[in-house]
Amino acid sequence: ECGEMELFFEKRFDKLAMTDAPPPPNDGSVKKFYYDELFVKSSSSPKISSIKAALEGAPAAVGSSHKWEGADVDIAMTLHQIGQIHRRSLRYAAALSAYNASLRGMKEVLGNRHANIAAILGNIGNLYMELGDYDEAFQIYQEVLGIETLHLGLSHPEVAVTLHNIATIECSRGNFSEGVSLYKQVVDMQKIRFGPQHITVAVTLSCLADANEKLGNVDGAIRTYEEALQIRKNVLGKSHIDVGRILHKLGRLAASRNDYRLANVYIMKAAEIYADNKLKPDHPFLREMARDMADIQAGLAFSGCKGIAV
């Protein structure tokens, strides 16, 4: 449905944009989108009047002084969905333009601190995360967090999601101590809200384990991965690819502290799960597995141990 809605909007806007828009510049300047002119203060211009008329399904008179009666929440919500579609298709500039248009419309009607504003800002933050602009994403998520805690309180699942995103940014910027602290806070919130065996708890535990590993806290990483492993086994089944992936990481961590016998147990179980899931020979997991198994076997040979059959 969203796709059909987007096509409906784009066909109308493309026709309007081509009638009175100058040819695109060849000087490398930033591309402009028709979304950029929606819900702007100068909305009484003939072009904006034409766009409003197109949205309403009515013809617009040339030179009409028609003005927006006020931002339309339905249109703003539709623009948000259009932004989502553009983002999923990796059209990031168009997505940001549509998101910002939606944001302007929502703010005009609902104010700057409405819960809908947080939803749009959150997806803008996600976009910047995907682009690797962590500083911009961090600032936006902080704004989202302020709005969410105002409306939802400190223990709401959406607040936990935003804190999780902020923790991910901190780790991406190399601030692993801050990331660990935030991930622990999110895990506590998720356990209270969903119970200790919920899959979202396992997801955050895996992120926490990775951050601990980056800090050099191998024992803490192993303990956390083990907890995440049990949840994933219970929820997803013992042969799920995610279970194999955690076993693989545990094998690598055990090898890093020279516990090659334990590393071999983990890595062989992971290999069985990869085989059960019929990964293609050139899959990156299998390439990593071949390298790690060779390292572990070399470690076993050097230490005089034999691999443990599983």
Side-chain angles (χ1 to χ4, degrees):
E1 292 180 0
C2 292
E4 293 173 0
M5 192 177 297
E6 184 190 28
L7 291 174
F8 172 82
F9 269 69
E10 288 200 352
K11 285 178 181 178
R12 296 201 175 206
F13 278 130
D14 285 345
K15 183 176 180 180
L16 290 168
M18 292 302 102
T19 58
D20 58 351
N26 295 317
D27 57 1
S29 59
V30 177
K31 181 178 179 180
K32 297 286 287 182
F33 297 91
Y34 41 69
Y35 314 121
D36 295 335
E37 298 198 36
L38 297 179
F39 300 124
V40 293
K41 295 300 182 182
S42 57
S43 57
S44 58
S45 68
K47 183 169 184 178
I48 297 302
S49 301
S50 299
I51 292 173
K52 177 64 174 176
L55 288 171
E56 294 174 345
V62 176
S64 169
S65 61
H66 175 84
K67 296 184 178 181
W68 291 85
E69 298 296 332
D72 187 318
V73 172
D74 289 337
I75 294 174
M77 291 178 67
T78 300
L79 285 165
H80 181 247
Q81 294 302 317
I82 291 172
Q84 295 283 74
I85 294 168
H86 281 310
R87 191 172 124 236
R88 286 195 293 268
S89 301
L90 307 183
R91 298 189 295 266
Y92 291 118
L96 186 59
S97 175
Y99 282 150
N100 282 330
S102 177
L103 194 61
R104 289 192 298 271
M106 287 291 185
K107 284 183 175 180
E108 186 173 324
V109 172
L110 303 174
N112 293 339
R113 306 288 287 176
H114 193 275
N116 285 0
I117 303 299
I120 300 169
L121 284 170
N123 281 314
I124 294 175
N126 294 341
L127 183 151
Y128 280 116
M129 276 278 286
E130 291 166 19
L131 288 174
D133 190 343
Y134 301 121
D135 291 340
E136 189 67 30
F138 183 84
Q139 295 300 322
I140 291 172
Y141 284 142
Q142 290 289 348
E143 186 175 354
V144 172
L145 187 63
I147 298 172
E148 287 177 341
T149 53
L150 175 67
H151 290 281
L152 305 173
L154 295 173
S155 61
H156 195 275
E158 290 184 19
V159 174
V161 168
T162 301
L163 285 171
H164 187 284
N165 289 337
I166 293 173
T168 301
I169 292 175
E170 292 286 25
C171 291
S172 298
R173 298 195 297 189
N175 301 326
F176 298 112
S177 294
E178 290 81 356
V180 165
S181 178
L182 286 168
Y183 281 138
K184 287 180 177 179
Q185 183 178 346
V186 173
V187 168
D188 290 342
M189 294 169 67
Q190 290 171 333
K191 285 181 176 180
I192 293 171
R193 187 77 181 198
F194 302 118
Q197 293 297 306
H198 196 273
I199 191 64
T200 58
V201 176
V203 170
T204 307
L205 283 170
S206 293
C207 294
L208 173 59
D210 183 70
N212 271 319
E213 180 183 357
K214 296 294 197 316
L215 275 176
N217 182 7
V218 175
D219 290 343
I222 289 176
R223 285 195 303 271
T224 309
Y225 271 133
E226 284 280 12
E227 186 177 354
L229 178 65
Q230 294 307 313
I231 298 172
R232 288 184 187 272
K233 281 182 177 179
N234 293 336
V235 176
L236 303 174
K238 294 181 179 181
S239 296
H240 194 277
I241 190 68
D242 290 350
V243 172
R245 190 59 178 160
I246 293 181
L247 284 166
H248 189 167
K249 291 180 178 180
L250 282 166
R252 190 180 299 163
L253 285 169
S256 73
R257 62 180 188 181
N258 300 325
D259 191 346
Y260 295 110
R261 290 172 62 87
L262 180 60
N264 191 62
V265 172
Y266 284 134
I267 210 78
M268 295 304 293
K269 288 180 178 178
E272 289 180 5
I273 293 173
Y274 287 170
D276 290 343
N277 282 272
K278 297 179 172 58
L279 299 183
K280 294 181 179 180
D282 61 343
H283 195 283
F285 289 1
L286 294 183
R287 291 200 298 269
E288 291 177 14
M289 174 67 72
R291 182 187 66 240
D292 294 334
M293 287 183 72
D295 291 343
I296 290 169
Q297 292 304 315
L300 286 169
F302 183 76
S303 62
C305 297
K306 294 182 178 180
I308 300 173
V310 293

